[in-house]
Amino acid sequence: MNLVFDITGNVLIVVGALIFASAALGVLRFPDAYTRISAVGTAGGLGIVFVVIGALALQPNIVDAVKVVLIVALQLATSAIGSIAIARSASLTGSPLRRARYDELEHGELTSEREP
């Protein structure tokens, strides 16, 4: 049974690290502050959950399980609130929103079923 917990824990930690790496790539590649905030907020919320649960799987006990539940709940709540606060401050300071290069609706490829 320990082998199953060890493999599961290591896999979860690697998945969490990959989520953080993809967020770092998003920060480098995304064009404006709002999409960068989305990448970091999602990674902060989801990546740390995988890492903490993976660490619990490596050394499971009831005291640490209670701590992990508290960590996950607080991380998910504060990550969302923090991302919203940062996006709001970017909006209030006038951070420009980069427009899409290609708009499918502008060129008439997608039409509405409703007649005006």
Side-chain angles (χ1 to χ4, degrees):
M1 192 66 163
N2 280 341
L3 182 63
V4 173
F5 280 137
D6 286 344
I7 292 172
T8 304
N10 286 323
V11 167
L12 288 174
I13 290 172
V14 168
V15 168
L18 289 174
I19 290 172
F20 283 128
S22 67
L25 183 64
V27 168
L28 294 174
R29 297 286 299 155
F30 286 153
D32 60 4
Y34 306 105
T35 54
R36 291 177 184 154
I37 292 166
S38 173
V40 171
T42 303
L46 196 57
I48 198 72
V49 169
F50 278 108
V51 170
V52 170
I53 292 174
L56 177 65
L58 290 176
Q59 292 189 356
N61 68 34
I62 192 69
V63 174
D64 290 339
V66 171
K67 290 178 187 177
V68 166
V69 169
L70 287 173
I71 290 169
V72 168
L74 290 173
Q75 177 62 31
L76 291 177
T78 58
S79 175
I81 293 169
S83 296
I84 291 169
I86 293 170
R88 186 168 192 274
S89 67
S91 176
L92 291 175
T93 58
S95 179
L97 178 65
R98 185 159 182 195
R99 298 286 178 204
R101 293 184 201 143
Y102 180 75
D103 186 7
E104 294 174 352
L105 296 176
E106 180 181 356
H107 299 291
E109 290 184 17
L110 297 177
T111 59
S112 175
E113 296 293 325
R114 266 188 311 172
E115 294 287 327

